[in-house]
Amino acid sequence: MKTGIRRTALGVLATLALAAAGAGYLAPAPYDRQFREEPNAPCSRRFPLGTDELGRDRLSRLLYGARVSLLLAPSAALLATVAAALAGGAAGWLGGWTDRALMSGANLVLAMPWMFLLIAVRAALPLNVDPGVSLAVTVVLLGGLGWVPAARALRAGMLRLVRSDFLLQARAAGCGTARLFFVHALPNTKGLLAAQFWTAVPLFLLAEANLSLLGLGVAEPMPSLGNLLRELESFHHVRSQPVVLAPLVVLVALVTCCQLAFPAREEGMR
Amino acid sequence: MIRCLVALGVLVLSGLAAGEELRFCLRADPKTFDPALVADEYSFAVQYLTGGVLVRFNRRTQAMEPELATSWKVDQGGRRITLQLRQGVRFSDGTPFTAQDVIYTIRRLLDPALHSPIGDSFRSGAGELRAESKRPDQVVLTFPAPVVNLERLLDQVFVQSATSPLKEKAGLGPFVLKEYKTGAQLLFARNPQYWKRDKQGRALPYADGVRLSIQANRETELLRFERGEIDLINTLDTRLYDRLQKEMPRAVADLGPGLDSEFVWFNQAPGSPLPAYKKKWFTSAAFRRAVSGAINRADLCRLALNGHAVPAAGPISPANQAWFNRDLKPHAFDPKGSLQMLEKAGFRKGPGGLTDSEGHRVEFSLVTNAGNPARARLASLLEQDLAQLGIKINIVTLDMPSLLERISRTADYEACLLGFVNTDVDPNGHMNVLLSSASNHPWNPKQAKPATPWEAEIDALMQAQAGLADARQRKAKFDRVQRILWEQTPIVYLLHKNYLVAVSPNLQGADPRPLAPQTYWNIEWIAPSGTRTISQR
Amino acid sequence: MDRTLRHTDDLAALAGATPPPQTPLLTVDVSVSYGEKPVLRRAALTVGEGEILGLIGLSGSGKSTLGLAVLGLAGLRGARVEGRILFEGRDLLRLGSRELRRVRGQQIAFVPQSPLAALNPALTLGTQFREAWQAHSSEAGWLGRVFELLEQVNLPASEGFLRRLPQELSVGMAQRVLIAMAVLHRPRLLIADEPTSALDVITQAEIVELFRRLNVGAGTGVLYISHDLVSVAGLCHRLSILADGEIVETGETRRVFAQPEHEHTRKLVAAIPGLGSDVHFFGFGPGASR
């Protein structure tokens, strides 16, 4: 039963990833092609998910958007998680002044006026940015913004680990500090890190949409799941055209399937 | 004991009056209740309800009409105005309205220490205002220098009492402010002293009171309208309008184009950090004109604003009956013609897009402000239209402060998509944009002297019209200004948004017009329910 | 009083003769404190080569701390150790952390109290064996040694077993794994901290038997820490009784049971319920094991 669910989830994930990767072949139209005579078209054979306000094929935008988001959010989440593992892990592991320094650093990150910082970043970047560079900057920004909660969780987990019997045992077996940290301690935070990673992914998907309001992230006309979700802003819109929920469905499917396919091992953190 | 009874009586009365209230929303609290300091539309709304003016600009006929002045005469080239005052008028507290009040009001406006935004318009030159009142019903104001469109300015001047102990709280308008809860609501009661009467001799206003709720959220405002909790919505965006139209078709009105415009301009500032070849494109009239001709304005109106807009030919909207240059049509959508124009200017269209004579790919960023969905749609449409010419646009949305920093301080941008909100029909309202020395001169602000001959000509024309009293002469000058802008295209005007309003079908006497305050400009004539018989003028 | 005497008489009768320890393997004489709070005051004991010394004390008496101190790990729990810990002539307290690490696991190994908690839940047994091996040796062939040991401790010597995770083991199996892991590098001394307290009676007996075999077979010295006199009676050659941070009495197991000298020891012996034939003494010394 459990493996059945897992297989299904993996299947859905693989399909989504393939569909996103093959957007160039699968999409009926380029993502920015405006069928200006048919704005807000309902679902039809020509436009399976209808068209948006500018007459762009929703299915095509969804496929391309999923591709952008599948590249972006997991990379950013990975970056944030790695940063959290190192910072939170080191804080919990080393304790003392390292802990205090790292955690006050983390608090500082949380307390910083991020809005202004992001605006400053945008100001420092040239206006004509290559989409690839823009995506990379977005990944770094999201990762740089999002690691603190995960680092805190990891520090707490690491504090528990440091006092654990099996680490004492590993020390008693003569393991060196680096091995203790990377081989014996870190694998035990896998569940925790995975949980942090999967919470970060949907958050970052949405955060990306907000970044584009500041001229960062994915810019029009390129779609992303985040900016496609903006069509949901109006409740009435959803009621009259429930098909605008498609990006949300894809997002939920992505996150759910990821969690089902790669379950965080609870026993990892006891 | 007596006080108690009186309080009860008031309660009973206000209970009865509730059905006769006119209700609508303001999006924010008024910043001031001082009529001389009004600068925002919410403070203006309060004054519009409670204050009286000497002459009123009729939003329907776009002509000046008598109010507290029964007649007026401007002479000495716009330096002097003689006003015949209405007799027997009293302020809301019973203080009689006299010539002294008019003089006091104007003097106060001109007081440099007060920093009155309205007063600025009157301060045409150095020197003292001379105010005389030879008869109690007459005032003669002589300004040190001609004031353009003097009587039109008086539409914004709410007369204050020189002697009332209530000071600015005593008003001459149809309503008096009764209660104000910050962030929640303003309650107005009818002004029993109000002078205006209908043909049957019934005292105006028809409404017993006005309730203004502070409501920033437009969706909520619409919901309250749908529930019948408010009677008016002054400006609807296209999305909410279309939604309301489906549900309450009788309650919405598309008033046609307003005075506002949406446009794109290219950075022509010589001090900007752009590469020389880009500066060369942007300072080329052929390039700008070609870009303008490649834009399908009909599509912009239809897709970005759901058809609630008209293509723009220039800064002046056709809604501005007096000043719009009817000879000008919006640049026609003609990509082929645009391409020919570009080719003549040395550009080439190849498989990789458009390149200039030096082989540079024509690509530029278009900055616009975030949080305006209609503008975002405009940008996407422009991007596609210009892609047809082989021009690549990178759309960058910025927060407003960053955008302003770039366009007005650092000049670190290439093209900008923005809109202007216009409340003034007069050409002088465009001075701060059109004069090459102006800080809001978008494409190249604060020029020491005009960078191009045509900018010099616009400067000269604008200054000349400002000094003329004769409307037809002024119109001729201003028509020429519009023509130059049309030819040189320093600003690619896209469209004028229509004013979309909602008016409850239960209201009688409402006459919404695309000039602020659209739905309630004739508020004293609006009756909240059908119980009264109304004869509009 | 009568009852106590009778019990000790019985014990004395059961205990075998134990020869005195030969060359000292480990000599401890330490004071340990947590912050201002002293836990051990000049606690002194000696484990001879090939000897099993039982360190007996009530919970909280500081016996586990002493075990950790020998391994140089008491500092982890915030303890300050003073005095000397001589192991094969070297004072472990004077060793640098690198040298100390080489002693740990290779020369002195540790068998813990809660076997399941002491195995890393995230790593397979194979990985944990490999880690323990690589901590001191870069030689290949560890797998053969592991299989050999698994057989010795009566566990399946298969790769399938090594692929298991600790949570798939019973407590008894886990403790055997830990014992196998402890003797991987043929240490001279084992420190066993209540190795049977988490086990059922039958498994306890098996583990005790395992220690005996290791001691007899490889001549490994054992510092066997326990709160329970009975469980050590049949295993240890000598006993050291720890009370209130001090070693109050040390002597051959038989003698301690028969003639407890210190008041505390007497109480311990007296508290043994139903002392009978199921308690039998391990009646020969290290000399006899060779």
Side-chain angles (χ1 to χ4, degrees), chain A residues 32 36 128 212-213 215 220 234, chain B residues 239 299 370 380 385 394 397:
Chain A
D32 57 352
R36 292 194 178 177
N128 288 301
S212 63
L213 290 177
E220 270 285 316
S234 149
Chain B
R239 199 167 45 89
D299 276 3
S380 294
D385 277 345
N394 301 311
T397 49

Side-chain angles (χ1 to χ4, degrees), chain B residues 54-55 71-84 102-103 106 110 122 124-125 128-134 138-154 466-469:
Chain B
L54 292 159
V55 288
S71 67
W72 63 93
K73 198 182 91 198
V74 177
D75 55 9
Q76 294 193 1
R79 274 185 63 208
R80 191 172 75 171
I81 185 164
T82 309
L83 296 147
Q84 196 68 39
V102 177
I103 295 170
I106 302 287
L110 290 173
F122 288 95
S124 52
E128 281 286 299
L129 167 80
R130 230 173 53 233
E132 298 158 282
S133 177
K134 292 194 185 110
Q138 199 186 57
V139 173
V140 181
L141 301 170
T142 312
F143 291 87
V147 177
V148 177
N149 221 7
L150 188 49
E151 74 267 32
R152 173 77 175 84
L153 288 176
L154 292 179
L468 290 170

